[in-house]
Amino acid sequence: CAGYSGHRAGGDCGTPWQFAKRRRVVTEQWREWPVANISELPPRGSAGFLVGGGEWPFRGFVVRQDDAVFAYANVCPHRRHALDLVDGDFLVQEGTMIRCASHGALFVPDTGICVLGPCVGQGLLQLECRVEGGQVFVRAPDSLRDIDVAGQQ
């Protein structure tokens, strides 16, 4: 996702897990939702969001890493449950890693790839996001039922 300074994140980060599976779904059929204000996210911060409605609203979160912002579905690839046991508690190690609170898996914030824990090499479902006018927008479905947990429509 583009950082709010305009640069694009992604590419090879030169790490041992560089060939791990990235899970990113970009679809024009999904709606774009305003989910956070950039001024409310610290340079190494995160915020959860809930969009849609009904019995299966979509849960996701955004992560700010200095000038870049990334968005993910709030679903652990290991056990398919939410990463945060306490709402909005996604980051550890001074904001440098995303953690699944249930099993301690650690994910790299800019790729969503697991580097420690029971799902090493698997990735979080990355969502398209952008920052405009200080607002973070994420393209996401109305419901978790609109995708399966493996990131397929």
Side-chain angles (χ1 to χ4, degrees):
C1 140
Y4 71 90
S5 65
H7 79 278
R8 299 223 20 114
D12 180 3
C13 58
T15 60
W17 51 87
Q18 65 189 4
F19 300 109
K21 183 179 178 188
R22 291 183 189 205
R23 297 170 53 215
R24 182 174 181 162
V25 174
V26 178
T27 176
E28 295 301 318
Q29 297 171 353
W30 292 353
R31 197 177 339 173
E32 190 172 65
W33 305 86
V35 298
N37 189 310
I38 194 69
S39 66
E40 296 171 0
L41 286 172
R44 298 249 175 208
S46 65
F49 64 85
L50 182 71
V51 296
E55 294 179 16
W56 293 91
F58 186 82
R59 290 178 48 147
F61 65 101
V62 292
V63 175
R64 180 176 172 189
Q65 296 288 286
D66 300 317
D67 288 345
V69 178
F70 307 93
Y72 297 98
N74 187 0
V75 179
C76 178
H78 175 229
R79 290 287 183 208
R80 314 293 192 243
H81 53 75
L83 295 165
D84 57 334
L85 291 177
V86 175
D87 284 344
D89 185 20
F90 297 100
L91 298 177
V92 293
Q93 297 182 4
E94 298 181 5
T96 62
M97 299 297 282
I98 299 167
R99 177 193 62 187
C100 176
S102 291
H103 298 99
L106 295 178
F107 302 85
V108 179
D110 63 341
T111 64
I113 300 298
C114 180
V115 295
L116 181 72
C119 49
V120 169
Q122 295 180 4
L124 300 172
L125 175 60
Q126 189 172 23
L127 305 168
E128 182 181 350
C129 71
R130 66 183 178 88
V131 177
E132 183 177 307
Q135 185 72 43
V136 179
F137 294 90
V138 174
R139 188 171 298 279
D142 292 337
S143 171
L144 191 56
R145 288 186 180 179
D146 292 344
I147 61 169
D148 69 25
V149 291
Q152 303 299 316
Q153 282 183 216

